[in-house]
Amino acid sequence: MRNMHHTPGTTQRHTAAPLYTPEQRARRDATRWTLVQGILAPFQFAVFLISFVLVLRYLSTGDGATAATVSIVVKTLTLYTIMITGSIWEKVVFGKWLFAPAFFWEDVFSMAVLALHTAYLVMLIGDLGTERARMLLALVAYAAYAINAGQFVLKLRAARLQSASQPPSQSTPSMAAVA
């Protein structure tokens, strides 16, 4: 039996399971949904930044409620779009619509992000709560989105590092779905 404890002066190297099998990587690289996700992710982030500024402007000055509201609706529709196309991407690459092991926790958190954005729409359409309360909910949704986007960025970085560490014949560009 191998000695399992760490002795001073030695290093233990833990290697994570690869994000993609060779077959999954080939499917990822062959599907147009990878490009769609690669375009939608930065677009959604830009929409988020603009909307975030508009919501903060409304909350700090009381001006621009309509612009902020429209921006939140656009952000939410963009989120729905990237969630639907992301689930198609996940089905093509991993064989599951959502919650594939490689993206399980990102997908779990994505559901919370989607729920918060949907709650905003319910409040807006139902004229529930005050304008300020809806804007504060939007900020909570945006905080959750920022965390989730960070999860996907870290996953993308890990995939690129894994790809770079493979022999050149196996190395391919990597793209992860960003919600």
Side-chain angles (χ1 to χ4, degrees):
M1 189 162 130
R2 195 167 56 146
N3 186 348
M4 299 298 285
H5 66 73
H6 177 73
T7 56
T10 64
T11 58
Q12 291 179 333
R13 185 174 193 166
H14 297 282
T15 56
L19 187 59
Y20 303 102
T21 66
E23 296 80 18
Q24 291 166 341
R25 189 177 321 105
R27 288 191 299 267
R28 177 204 65 200
D29 293 345
T31 183
R32 70 176 185 248
W33 296 107
T34 299
L35 177 60
V36 169
Q37 291 300 104
I39 292 167
L40 283 176
F43 175 75
Q44 180 182 210
F45 191 73
V47 171
F48 156 73
L49 289 176
I50 292 165
S51 185
F52 181 68
V53 168
L54 292 171
V55 170
L56 288 180
R57 177 178 171 245
Y58 168 78
L59 288 171
S60 64
T61 68
D63 294 330
T66 300
T69 299
V70 168
S71 75
I72 297 166
V73 171
V74 170
K75 166 65 176 81
T76 302
L77 294 175
T78 305
L79 175 67
Y80 284 137
T81 302
I82 202 165
M83 288 297 298
I84 291 166
T85 59
S87 67
I88 295 167
W89 176 87
E90 210 164 317
K91 176 68 172 167
V92 170
V93 175
F94 296 103
K96 294 183 78 169
W97 290 104
L98 282 172
F99 307 110
F103 288 95
F104 181 82
W105 290 110
E106 291 80 4
D107 287 349
V108 167
F109 208 82
S110 290
M111 292 300 112
V113 171
L114 201 58
L116 288 165
H117 281 74
T118 301
Y120 173 85
L121 289 181
V122 168
M123 288 181 74
L124 178 66
I125 293 167
D127 196 25
L128 303 172
T130 64
E131 188 81 56
R132 181 172 180 76
R134 289 191 294 266
M135 295 292 172
L136 290 172
L137 175 59
L139 283 184
V140 171
Y142 286 4
Y145 162 76
I147 292 167
N148 194 226
Q151 286 179 299
F152 280 105
V153 167
L154 290 174
K155 189 68 65 145
L156 175 60
R157 184 176 185 281
R160 287 190 177 171
L161 290 173
Q162 284 178 346
S163 184
S165 69
Q166 295 172 348
S169 65
Q170 293 179 354
S171 182
T172 57
S174 181
M175 175 89 49
V178 180

